[in-house]
Amino acid sequence: GVRVEHPLVELSARLELDRVDGSLKVCRGSGSASVWQFPGIPRARSAVAEIEAAARDYGLLARSPSPSDREAWAPLLRRAAHCLGADGAYEEGPPPAAARSSMSAPRVFNCFVV
């Protein structure tokens, strides 16, 4: 199998430096979310089409919830796990570092990265 570690759904965002306290703020872009296309993995095409259809059905592409709203993204990510493989699994939260080497079936994690 092919191992892919990449966000399944992408949202545009930008980082801004707060002029008052120097902290970083993440600001969401105005664009809509998009499903990652798995470039270079032709056998993923049918799964991507199913995932995009599910994302549209759930209303997540046109008006995306916050990336940190796990509850809002969970239905799509659960569906995506099974679109990517009959033995696919959905996991709440990020993958534990120790488990990465032992993954054999598709696993979709409900987390976000900046």
Side-chain angles (χ1 to χ4, degrees), residues 12-36:
S12 64
R14 68 181 187 281
L15 293 175
E16 290 184 357
L17 186 62
D18 188 295
R19 291 181 181 173
V20 175
D21 65 7
S23 64
L24 287 176
K25 297 187 306 186
V26 177
C27 302
R28 290 185 54 199
S30 59
S32 59
S34 62
V35 174
W36 191 59

Side-chain angles (χ1 to χ4, degrees), residues 70 74 77 90-96 103 107-112:
R70 288 186 177 161
L77 299 178
Y90 166 82
E91 304 277 340
E92 185 72 35
M103 291 182 209
R107 289 172 63 187
V108 175
F109 295 89
N110 192 341
C111 58
F112 74 98

Side-chain angles (χ1 to χ4, degrees), residues 14-82:
R14 68 181 187 281
L15 293 175
E16 290 184 357
L17 186 62
D18 188 295
R19 291 181 181 173
V20 175
D21 65 7
S23 64
L24 287 176
K25 297 187 306 186
V26 177
C27 302
R28 290 185 54 199
S30 59
S32 59
S34 62
V35 174
W36 191 59
Q37 299 295 304
F38 290 84
I41 308 173
R43 68 177 180 237
R45 265 189 215 122
S46 62
V48 169
E50 287 183 56
I51 295 166
E52 285 179 328
R56 280 191 300 277
D57 290 346
Y58 292 129
L60 296 173
L61 295 183
R63 205 170 122 209
S64 305
S66 168
S68 62
D69 186 349
R70 288 186 177 161
E71 219 173 276
W73 291 102
L76 173 64
L77 299 178
R78 282 188 185 98
R79 177 78 184 122
H82 296 289

